Amino acid sequence: MPSRRDLPAIAVGTTATLAAVGLARLAYTPLLPAVIHQGWFHSSQAVYLGAANLLGYLLGALLAVRLSERFDTRKLLGLSFVAIALSFVLCALPAAFSWFFTWRFISGLAGGLLMVVGPSVALTAIPPERRGAVASFVFTGIGMGAILSASLIPMLLRLNLSAAWLVLGLLSIVAGLLADWGLRRLAINHASTAVKADAALPVPALSLATLLVVLAYGLDAIGFVPHTVFWVDFLDREKALGTDAASMQWLLFGIGAIIGPLFAGYLGKRFGWRRSLALGFFIKAAAIAIPLLSITLFWRSASSLIVGIMVTGLVTLTSGRVMELVGPASYKRVWGIGAVSFSSAQALSGYGMSALYGILGSYLPLFAIGSLVMASGCLLLMLTPRAQTVPATSIKLCKNES
């Protein structure tokens, strides 16, 4: 278990994942049916606004490592939190589609920056023996955002849609203040020096094992889209279950997302990162396919909970596998490459699935696609060599001895 000394790192990492994915992206999922019901946008436009966030996330992930090497970490993260808060506040009233698209894109860009830089700052500030426990808490921020949106948004929508947007902006500001508290207590100056020293090194060549993990992480992004973008609207409008029933499923998803990193940490210790990651892909593939067979209360609840667990669980398992393969010295660079793989696939699939929905008028085929892609990722990971990282200290010693 983490100690009190780890609280600043946990605060930075958890609030970064909370704002980057839990709020900036996942909070839009329960808002989507309301935006359509209240006539702000018609269904195809509202779906594309979700995809705009994915496109911005891709750009943020692409720029994250370079920007973190050129600019002060605290200022970069602070600006990202402010951008996400503004993206909610400035969308609190009906406006043109281009206005909403721009701010959904900006929130995605800021989220991509936070998702790469925040966990990297948190995990590299922690000694190796406590890093796994801290990582389990860092990625619970994603589930916290889903739970907050599932519990608050239905109540706020009874007031009006604008109130929901404004409260999400307020939550983003609170998250940013907590992150700043953690950053001021971490050895940021030391971390920045280490980052600049690492920036002078050549980008490490990816081993076959690392490359396969990065590719599989990209496939996970495709399986990520149906439940995290379309699930609530699918249950609410397409299956006519209503807002309350759909919001309850989103709450279960959020509970699962809180459990996910802790469950992943247990699996990693019990079975190793390699086997646990492949197992996670298989479980998620099965859970995404459940709506194809049944949406009775039991089965839709199982799908919500299990996909929620594996959405954050696979992030944690992938992070642990990357750390195992490349070590802390190269972690941020390789994790950044993985984030680019994830966000590229996510943006493409987000737009592709939105277009497919526009053609077919049904979300069901999207769940089939997501499940098949996750199964492909499982097969890919089963081919991953059992490579282990060579500790950075060993490399340095070898060089000194020579």
Side-chain angles (χ1 to χ4, degrees), residues 203-236:
V203 178
L206 297 184
S207 66
L208 176 60
T210 308
L211 180 61
L212 290 176
V213 169
V214 167
L215 290 174
Y217 194 42
L219 295 178
D220 179 37
I222 300 173
F224 185 92
V225 170
H227 272 72
T228 58
V229 179
F230 308 123
W231 184 233
V232 173
D233 196 41
F234 167 72
L235 296 173
D236 182 348

Side-chain angles (χ1 to χ4, degrees), residues 24 28 35 40-59 83 86-88 90-110 165 347 350-352 354:
Y28 183 70
V35 167
W40 285 25
F41 300 103
H42 59 71
S43 59
S44 61
Q45 286 180 314
V47 168
Y48 273 111
L49 288 177
N53 180 270
L54 306 183
L55 184 61
Y57 189 92
L58 168 59
L59 181 60
L86 284 175
S87 74
F88 286 120
L90 296 178
C91 290
L93 294 173
F97 175 79
S98 58
W99 175 262
F100 271 72
F101 187 95
T102 299
W103 282 105
R104 293 300 299 153
F105 177 85
I106 290 172
S107 72
L109 190 155
W165 288 97
Y351 275 91
S354 298

Side-chain angles (χ1 to χ4, degrees), residues 319-350:
S319 174
R321 181 61 171 149
V322 168
M323 183 69 79
E324 179 182 60
L325 289 169
V326 304
S330 299
Y331 172 80
K332 187 170 80 168
R333 285 180 174 273
V334 177
W335 183 241
I337 294 170
V340 170
S341 171
F342 187 96
S343 55
S344 300
Q346 185 178 238
L348 289 171
S349 62

